[in-house]
């Protein structure tokens, strides 16, 4: 993986002030260094500048970027972040049409594919990616993003200049682009956060390229094109055929995503999803006489303080023990201590340039940092619940009929901290309701869908479009912050497109949640794991951790110097801090409850302070 950034202005000659613009590109590169510490490159022409930082995974010596190829008497240049999993097939197809290659990199395959058939080539690409291509002859810049937004790509039109970057911090390197936030941005933070409306970057005047879209920029005109979207179709396969085809698509995705010129590893929680990915990887590596490396996550004294609840029924450790013995993997248990988890709330905010999933994010940042000391590539079980219907809101009537985002059914807890005048100005309820209605309007409902199936189709779409995107953002930023490439086989576009249309009675046959996936996994896992009840990403229940958070937020409120006090009510918040913590009533998803709200408010403070946010209320 890599970090990409750059700018384009067809009315300015950057070469007239070449040192000045090269310095900007160098600053962009430095800002994204964590995404690609192996090498960096800069490209500058009269109207376009590209910057690239590289994490070398495929063809370490041949895939240097920016990469330029001369074609039809013109230069075409690419900067690319991602992995192309069908590189071999696409290369062979292009060679059959007379295209030649200098390297073995997927970067060159993408560029040559674009040269051969233009932007429509992206529809053939199976992978995770964000990339920019500049067509010098036609003075045209293209920005592409993968089908489900695994890889990020932000942009801003500043006067006549289009600026883009893998992360907002790259855009802030461009002179004059200061971080400002208006009411819409605050509605995202306090109403939807840590989720975001697709394309909304929170920052004023900034946006994010939509998943499954590409942009073109020419003569200050910016155009948006959709090349992929989830579509609803009647499902005509029998149950037996569905299991077989789903299994084929899943195994194909996992095996494809193992491609690497450096050793791979997997995250192993002992749950169905990560265990299945790990088992397939272990089997493939054994064929080559290799042993899979696996990692599991836990927290200091978790066995002592763990509190089972409806959302998190069991600890992971006993199931990890079963799986690491079953796989015969080289396993490492990673443990995050309380102070590290609290201290990394700031770094996790910096990795996103925004408040994020609080300690759910900071702990993963810690674990990725440890894994990156030995590996550059990891496969994860992320996204299986969104695709196969693993969350409670797929099968509980109160969620199915809630008429809002099911992972945030009630905004009252969020609003309780805001100053009255801020709450009135933001109108969070109407903002969230409007976002929800706009989202479900995108869903294709089939005439054959009854009310319940219609609700599930909408919830499935919302999960992939919103909730899954939040988790993908978390995985990208926490892994890439330490130069670790995380791959997500369950987010394969062929698999997701197929399973999206499988009816619920097949996904949860005999009333068993994710039974379709369990049937696909039976040959790869012991029954104890195959039929384990879902338990999400682990979190700490240690009282000292919550005590740390309370002390830190209380200190900020007491000094009266935090910019957070412009938005939240001090007395209401202090009253909350003096109450006993509640772990069983999440205000977002399944993990973010009372203690995570304290951590989230701390992240908002860090964000407002560190970025010197210019608030436009």
């Amino acid at each position: 993986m890599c970090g990409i950034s750059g700018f384009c202005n067809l009315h300015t000659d950057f070469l007239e002030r070449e040192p000045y613009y090269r310095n900007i590109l160098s600053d962009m590169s430095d800002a994204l260094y964590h995404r690609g510490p192996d090498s960096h490159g800069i490209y500058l022409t009269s109207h376009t500048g590209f910057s690239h930082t590289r994490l070398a995974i495929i063809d370490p010596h041949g895939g240097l970027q920016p990469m330029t190829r001369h074609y039809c008497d013109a230069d075409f240049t690419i900067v690319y972040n991602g992995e192309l999993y069908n590189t071999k097939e696409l290369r062979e197809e292009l060679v059959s049409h007379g295209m030649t290659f200098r390297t073995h990199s997927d970067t060159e395959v993408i560029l040559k594919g674009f040269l051969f058939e233009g932007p429509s080539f992206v529809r053939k690409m199976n992978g995770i990616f964000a990339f920019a291509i500049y067509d010098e002859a036609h003075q045209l810049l293209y920005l592409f993003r993968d089908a489900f937004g695994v890889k990020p790509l932000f942009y801003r039109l500043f006067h006549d200049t289009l600026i883009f970057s893998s992360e907002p911090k790259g855009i802030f390197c461009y002179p004059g682009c200061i971080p400002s936030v208006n009411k819409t941005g605050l509605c995202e933070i306090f109403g939807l956060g840590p989720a975001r409306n697709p394309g909304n970057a929170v920052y004023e005047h900034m946006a994010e390229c939509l998943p499954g879209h590409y942009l073109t920029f020419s003569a200050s005109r910016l155009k948006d094109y959709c090349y992929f979207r989830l579509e609803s179709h009647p499902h005509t396969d029998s149950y037996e055929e569905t299991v077989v085809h789903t299994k084929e698509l899943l195994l194909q995705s996992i095996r494809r995503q193992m491609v690497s010129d450096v050793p791979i590893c997997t995250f192993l929680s002992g749950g169905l999803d990560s265990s299945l990915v790990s088992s397939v990887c272990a089997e493939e590596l054994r064929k080559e006489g290799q042993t899979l490396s696996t990692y599991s996550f836990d927290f200091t004294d978790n066995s002592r303080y763990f509190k089972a609840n409806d959302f998190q029924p069991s600890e992971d450790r006993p199931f990890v023990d079963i799986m690491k013995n079953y796989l015969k993997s080289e396993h490492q248990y990673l443990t995050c201590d309380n102070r590290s988890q609290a201290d990394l709330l700031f770094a996790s905010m910096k990795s996103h340039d925004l408040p994020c999933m609080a300690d759910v994010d900071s702990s993963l940042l810690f674990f990725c940092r440890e894994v990156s000391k030995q590996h550059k590539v990891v496969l994860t079980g992320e996204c299986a619940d969104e695709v196969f219907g693993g969350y409670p809101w797929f099968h509980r009537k109160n969620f199915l009929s809630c008429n809002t985002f099911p992972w945030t059914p009630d905004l009252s807890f969020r609003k309780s901290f805001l100053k009255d005048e801020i709450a009135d100005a933001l109108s969070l309820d109407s903002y969230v309701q409007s976002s929800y209605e706009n989202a479900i309007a995108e869903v294709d409902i089939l005439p054959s869908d009854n009310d319940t199936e219609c609700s599930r189709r909408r919830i499935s779409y919302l999960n992939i479009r919103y909730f899954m995107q939040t988790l993908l953002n978390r995985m990208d930023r926490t892994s890439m912050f330490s130069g670790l490439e995380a791959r997500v086989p369950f987010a394969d576009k062929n698999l997701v497109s197929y399973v999206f249309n499988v009816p619920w009675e097949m996904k949860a046959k005999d009333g068993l949640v994710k039974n379709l996936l369990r049937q696909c996994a039976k040959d790869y896992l012991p029954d104890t794991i195959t039929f384990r009840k879902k338990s999400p990403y682990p979190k700490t229940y240690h009282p000292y951790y919550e005590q740390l958070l309370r002390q830190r937020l209380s200190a900020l409120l007491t000094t009266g110097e935090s910019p957070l006090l412009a938005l939240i009510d001090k007395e209401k918040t202090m009253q909350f801090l003096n109450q006993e913590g509640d772990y069983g009533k999440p205000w977002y998803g399944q993990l973010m409850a009372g203690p995570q709200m304290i951590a989230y408010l701390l992240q908002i403070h860090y964000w407002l302070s560190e970025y010197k946010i210019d608030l436009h209320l």
Side-chain angles (χ1 to χ4, degrees):
M1 297 301 175
C2 308
I4 64 173
S5 54
F7 44 79
C8 181
N9 186 326
L10 301 175
H11 305 293
T12 297
D13 187 348
F14 296 130
L15 295 181
E16 290 180 354
R17 301 176 64 192
E18 184 172 352
Y20 175 77
Y21 287 104
R22 282 192 173 275
N23 283 337
I24 295 174
L25 291 171
S26 181
D27 289 344
M28 288 177 157
S29 177
D30 290 344
L32 299 179
Y33 173 80
H34 53 277
R35 296 187 67 91
D38 293 335
S39 64
H40 64 91
I42 285 174
Y43 165 85
L44 185 67
T45 65
S46 294
H47 302 302
T48 300
F50 284 172
S51 172
H52 186 267
T53 61
R54 187 182 185 211
L55 182 68
I57 305 298
I58 303 293
D59 194 3
H61 302 293
L64 296 177
Q65 298 183 52
M67 180 182 288
T68 300
R69 294 293 181 264
H70 196 71
Y71 186 74
C72 294
D73 297 323
D75 284 341
F76 296 80
T77 302
I78 184 172
V79 281
Y80 158 62
N81 166 35
E83 294 295 342
L84 183 62
Y85 300 131
N86 58 339
T87 297
K88 183 175 181 292
E89 296 93 325
L90 293 177
R91 182 195 301 272
E92 291 173 351
E93 179 184 339
L94 291 169
V95 168
S96 72
H97 290 293
M99 302 297 281
T100 59
F101 293 86
R102 303 180 200 170
T103 75
H104 298 289
S105 69
D106 51 353
T107 305
E108 189 176 18
V109 171
I110 295 171
L111 182 55
K112 288 294 183 73
F114 175 88
L115 296 181
F116 180 69
E117 56 185 276
S120 64
F121 181 74
V122 72
R123 295 187 175 93
K124 296 181 177 180
M125 292 171 54
N126 185 318
I128 53 178
F129 51 81
F131 61 94
I133 292 178
Y134 182 59
D135 174 350
E136 190 171 44
H138 300 98
Q139 296 190 344
L140 190 59
L141 175 70
Y142 294 84
L143 299 177
F144 295 83
R145 194 173 182 207
D146 64 65
F148 296 116
V150 179
K151 294 288 103 182
L153 185 56
F154 294 86
Y155 66 93
R156 176 177 177 176
L157 190 58
F158 184 62
H159 301 305
D160 290 329
T161 302
L162 183 70
I163 311 155
F164 68 90
S165 177
S166 296
E167 298 174 9
K169 58 175 64 69
I171 293 175
F172 296 142
C173 292
Y174 197 91
C177 291
I178 62 171
S180 62
V181 175
N182 58 20
K183 290 181 182 179
T184 299
L186 290 178
C187 283
E188 293 282 319
I189 294 294
F190 287 103
L192 294 177
R196 287 187 280 119
N197 273 308
N200 192 301
V202 176
Y203 293 104
E204 198 172 15
H205 309 302
M206 190 185 297
E208 189 170 16
C209 185
L210 288 167
H213 283 235
Y214 70 89
L215 304 171
T216 62
F217 179 68
S218 176
S220 299
R221 295 176 59 195
L222 189 63
K223 294 183 179 180
D224 188 308
Y225 301 85
C226 176
Y227 71 86
F228 174 86
R229 64 184 294 270
L230 275 179
E231 297 178 344
S232 299
H233 301 289
H235 185 75
T236 57
D237 290 350
S238 68
Y239 177 70
E240 292 73 19
E241 291 170 335
T242 299
V243 172
V244 169
H245 191 53
T246 302
K247 185 176 179 180
E248 289 174 348
L249 290 172
L250 180 56
L251 295 180
Q252 183 182 69
S253 176
I254 297 171
R255 289 165 180 159
R256 280 185 187 276
Q257 297 195 24
M258 292 179 67
V259 61
S260 173
D261 288 338
V262 298
I264 68 163
C265 65
T266 65
F267 290 162
L268 179 63
S269 71
L272 169 65
D273 313 331
S274 65
S275 296
L276 177 54
V277 171
S278 297
S279 185
V280 175
C281 289
E283 180 184 73
E284 293 301 307
L285 289 177
R286 275 195 296 270
K287 295 175 183 177
E288 302 172 7
Q290 300 178 36
T291 301
L292 176 68
S293 295
T294 54
Y295 294 88
S296 62
F297 311 149
D298 210 341
F299 298 89
T300 299
D301 294 331
N302 195 41
S303 59
R304 177 181 177 187
Y305 292 106
F306 176 79
K307 299 176 182 179
N309 55 57
D310 286 345
F311 294 97
Q312 201 153 28
S314 60
E315 290 184 75
D316 283 342
R317 179 61 182 262
F319 298 93
V320 171
D321 292 341
I322 293 171
M323 275 307 300
K324 62 111 173 176
N325 292 329
Y326 180 82
L327 297 173
K328 295 180 175 57
S329 62
E330 293 179 354
H331 187 76
Q332 294 189 47
Y333 298 94
L334 301 179
T335 302
C336 183
D337 65 276
N338 298 297
R339 189 166 292 277
S340 293
Q341 188 173 9
D343 290 347
L344 284 170
L345 287 170
F346 176 78
S348 62
M349 179 281 298
K350 285 278 288 183
S351 71
H352 289 257
D353 299 311
L354 291 168
C356 48
M357 291 190 75
D359 48 37
V360 181
D361 208 284
S362 65
S363 61
L364 187 57
L365 191 73
F366 172 87
F367 295 130
C368 288
R369 184 181 67 188
E370 296 304 304
V371 173
S372 71
K373 294 175 181 177
Q374 299 180 59
H375 285 87
K376 284 186 176 183
V377 180
V378 61
L379 274 70
T380 82
E382 207 78 70
C383 303
D385 289 307
E386 289 79 11
V387 176
F388 287 90
Y391 294 117
W393 42 79
F394 281 97
H395 48 86
R396 293 185 186 176
K397 289 184 179 180
N398 59 317
F399 286 115
L400 287 172
S401 59
C402 70
N403 197 36
T404 189
F405 297 107
W407 48 86
T408 311
D410 184 2
L411 296 178
S412 58
F413 183 57
R414 294 165 171 261
K415 295 189 297 181
S416 67
F417 301 95
L418 295 174
K419 288 184 173 181
D420 292 341
E421 60 270 27
I422 297 296
D424 290 341
L426 296 184
S427 300
L428 293 180
D429 291 284
S430 60
Y431 184 84
V432 172
Q433 188 61 28
S434 176
S435 298
Y436 170 76
E437 291 173 359
N438 289 337
I440 63 173
E442 298 174 358
V443 186
D444 299 325
I445 300 300
L446 299 180
S448 58
D449 289 342
N450 59 32
D451 289 345
T452 301
E453 196 64 28
C454 177
S455 294
R456 287 202 174 105
R457 187 181 295 278
R458 285 173 172 162
I459 285 178
S460 180
Y461 182 87
L462 291 174
N463 269 265
I464 293 166
R465 190 76 161 154
Y466 280 80
F467 199 76
M468 188 170 93
Q469 183 66 66
T470 307
L471 300 185
L472 290 172
N473 289 342
R474 178 188 65 150
M475 186 58 70
D476 175 81
R477 305 313 191 279
T478 55
S479 60
M480 294 305 296
F481 200 69
S482 298
L484 176 69
E485 175 185 310
R487 299 178 178 178
V488 279
F490 285 105
D492 175 81
K493 69 177 182 179
N494 296 324
L495 174 67
V496 176
S497 296
Y498 180 77
V499 177
F500 177 69
N501 286 294
V502 174
W504 183 252
E505 60 265 22
M506 290 188 182
K507 289 179 184 174
K509 187 173 174 58
D510 300 325
L512 181 60
V513 176
K514 290 168 67 176
N515 200 7
L516 174 58
L517 181 58
R518 297 181 198 276
Q519 297 307 311
C520 295
K522 285 173 66 175
D523 294 337
Y524 290 89
L525 302 174
D527 287 350
T528 309
I529 304 298
T530 302
F531 297 101
R532 180 191 175 189
K533 186 176 181 181
K534 174 180 171 52
S535 192
Y537 177 86
K539 68 177 182 180
T540 186
Y541 294 84
H542 201 298
Y544 178 63
Y545 174 70
E546 187 176 354
Q547 180 184 338
L548 273 176
L549 298 181
R550 290 175 184 272
Q551 290 173 349
R552 293 181 182 187
L553 184 57
S554 179
L556 289 175
L557 298 179
T558 302
T559 62
E561 297 177 356
S562 171
L564 188 60
L565 289 168
L567 302 172
I568 68 170
D569 186 287
K570 177 180 176 180
E571 298 305 320
K572 293 178 184 177
T573 308
M574 290 297 291
Q575 185 178 2
F576 164 68
L577 291 177
N578 291 326
Q579 296 173 357
E580 185 177 347
D582 187 344
Y583 289 85
K585 295 180 180 178
W587 54 273
Y588 181 82
Q590 301 174 92
L591 297 176
M592 299 184 71
Q596 285 67 48
M597 177 55 78
I598 304 174
Y600 191 60
L601 291 174
L602 283 169
Q603 285 196 320
I604 296 174
H605 160 78
Y606 296 147
W607 174 59
L608 294 171
S609 302
E610 177 71 12
Y611 286 73
K612 297 179 174 57
I613 302 296
D614 184 13
L615 291 176
H616 295 165
L617 298 175

